[in-house]
Amino acid sequence: MASLGELERAVMDLLWAGHEAATANTLRDLLAQSTRPENGTAGHEGKDLAVTTVLTVLSRLERKGLVERERGTRPHRYQAVSSREDHTAELMHEVLGSAPDREAVLARFIGSVTDTEAETLRKLLGLS
Amino acid sequence: MASLGELERAVMDLLWAGHEAATANTLRDLLAQSTRPENGTAGHEGKDLAVTTVLTVLSRLERKGLVERERGTRPHRYQAVSSREDHTAELMHEVLGSAPDREAVLARFIGSVTDTEAETLRKLLGLS
DNA sequence: CTGGTACTTCTACCTCATGTAGAAACTATC
DNA sequence: GATAGTTTCTACATGAGGTAGAAGTACCAG
């Protein structure tokens, strides 16, 4: 249950930006941002979607457990449940988890990581 | 372009088994195996699918670049393009690749790996 | 060579996820 | 209470994946 659609991902990108800034976005916020072309990442740039479209997507993301919605306030506030990094790492674990031979997979995985990243990993594992 | 359906995965499981044994499977082989209940992993256990169903799935897997088909021989022979481990590792890279802050993701990822696996990683990284 | 059997290709249908949005219900405010 | 913004419900279109029939193709037995 991992994959996101294009629009879903775009919305998550906005929410993840808010997550870093510890901001809970309202629907209006999101719409404003999505129209702004600077938001390259957000894909769907300036596509001028209907309000309800974004709402629907937010509901679906909520159902998927990726978004939390504050229903108390009047314009509801939406926020990503976890950071983009956490989410991605979790995804990686999901992918890895389905493998019978996890260690073999890890070996391959490590094999094709950039040098910088290998260095980072060494540090994290207390190797240097 | 990563995800596989349930049946697609089941078929890949069979083909991956063949990959280890360097065997190119025919349709008949696959059908025989899929009916065999020992093949827990294969899911879809003994579901007795129509021949064409499996063929269709194989075609789709071929289109996705996961399966290679020898068209020369009469019963065509099918085989996984890469091992399950390679494929999984590649998937992990795909997931990681979409992240802007790869190193942060790796940090989280490493944080939730079993001790044994951490040890494996140390070995792998120590050598390179 | 000829028919039957096995194999392959084409086409099709169903369901579900996702993108998209209108209609209606709701709420705060003037 | 009318109005404008917000939220919910409902709905349709498209594409992926599961499933398989019908028809075409190839190969062996006789």
Side-chain angles (χ1 to χ4, degrees):
Chain A
M1 221 294 205
S3 76
L4 295 181
E6 206 175 332
L7 178 54
E8 289 177 330
R9 186 166 305 274
V11 170
M12 282 312 295
D13 274 333
L14 295 176
L15 290 174
W16 274 323
H19 187 92
E20 285 173 41
T23 308
N25 298 272
T26 71
L27 172 65
R28 216 73 347 227
D29 295 339
L30 296 173
L31 283 171
Q33 285 177 81
S34 78
T35 325
R36 214 165 296 152
E38 311 89 84
N39 275 316
T41 320
H44 268 269
E45 308 122 50
K47 246 221 179 178
D48 215 354
L49 296 166
V51 192
T52 48
T53 300
V54 180
L55 253 317
T56 302
V57 168
L58 283 168
S59 295
R60 288 176 183 165
L61 289 171
E62 193 189 12
R63 182 153 37 86
K64 289 186 187 183
L66 296 182
V67 164
E68 201 166 38
R69 174 197 314 227
E70 281 178 47
R71 286 167 186 275
T73 61
R74 184 45 182 156
H76 293 184
R77 291 177 181 279
Y78 307 85
Q79 54 196 321
V81 163
S82 55
S83 73
R84 190 210 311 268
E85 291 77 31
D86 279 339
H87 176 255
T88 308
E90 213 173 299
L91 263 193
M92 287 176 65
H93 272 294
E94 245 172 68
V95 171
L96 176 60
S98 68
D101 191 347
R102 295 166 57 99
E103 310 213 348
V105 174
L106 284 175
R108 261 80 163 187
F109 176 73
I110 292 291
S112 41
V113 122
T114 71
D115 290 347
T116 328
E117 283 162 354
E119 198 42 54
T120 309
L121 289 176
R122 281 195 199 92
K123 271 182 205 137
L124 288 165
L125 289 164
L127 274 182
S128 49
Chain B
M1 220 290 206
S3 74
L4 296 181
E6 207 175 332
L7 179 53
E8 288 178 330
R9 186 167 304 273
V11 170
M12 282 311 295
D13 274 333
L14 296 175
L15 289 174
W16 275 323
H19 192 271
E20 286 174 39
T23 309
N25 298 271
T26 72
L27 173 64
R28 213 90 325 243
D29 294 338
L30 296 173
L31 283 170
Q33 285 177 81
S34 78
T35 325
R36 215 166 295 151
E38 309 89 83
N39 276 316
T41 320
H44 267 270
E45 306 122 49
K47 247 223 179 175
D48 217 352
L49 296 167
V51 191
T52 48
T53 299
V54 180
L55 252 318
T56 302
V57 168
L58 283 168
S59 294
R60 288 176 183 166
L61 289 170
E62 194 189 11
R63 181 154 37 85
K64 290 187 186 182
L66 296 182
V67 164
E68 200 167 38
R69 174 199 313 229
E70 281 178 47
R71 286 167 186 275
T73 62
R74 185 40 184 159
H76 293 183
R77 291 177 181 278
Y78 306 85
Q79 54 196 320
V81 163
S82 56
S83 71
R84 188 209 313 267
E85 291 76 32
D86 280 339
H87 176 255
T88 308
E90 214 173 299
L91 263 194
M92 287 175 64
H93 272 293
E94 245 172 69
V95 171
L96 175 60
S98 68
D101 191 347
R102 295 165 58 98
E103 310 212 350
V105 174
L106 285 176
R108 261 80 162 187
F109 176 74
I110 290 294
S112 42
V113 122
T114 72
D115 291 347
T116 329
E117 284 163 354
E119 197 43 53
T120 309
L121 290 176
R122 277 194 203 96
K123 270 181 205 135
L124 288 165
L125 288 164
L127 296 180
S128 45

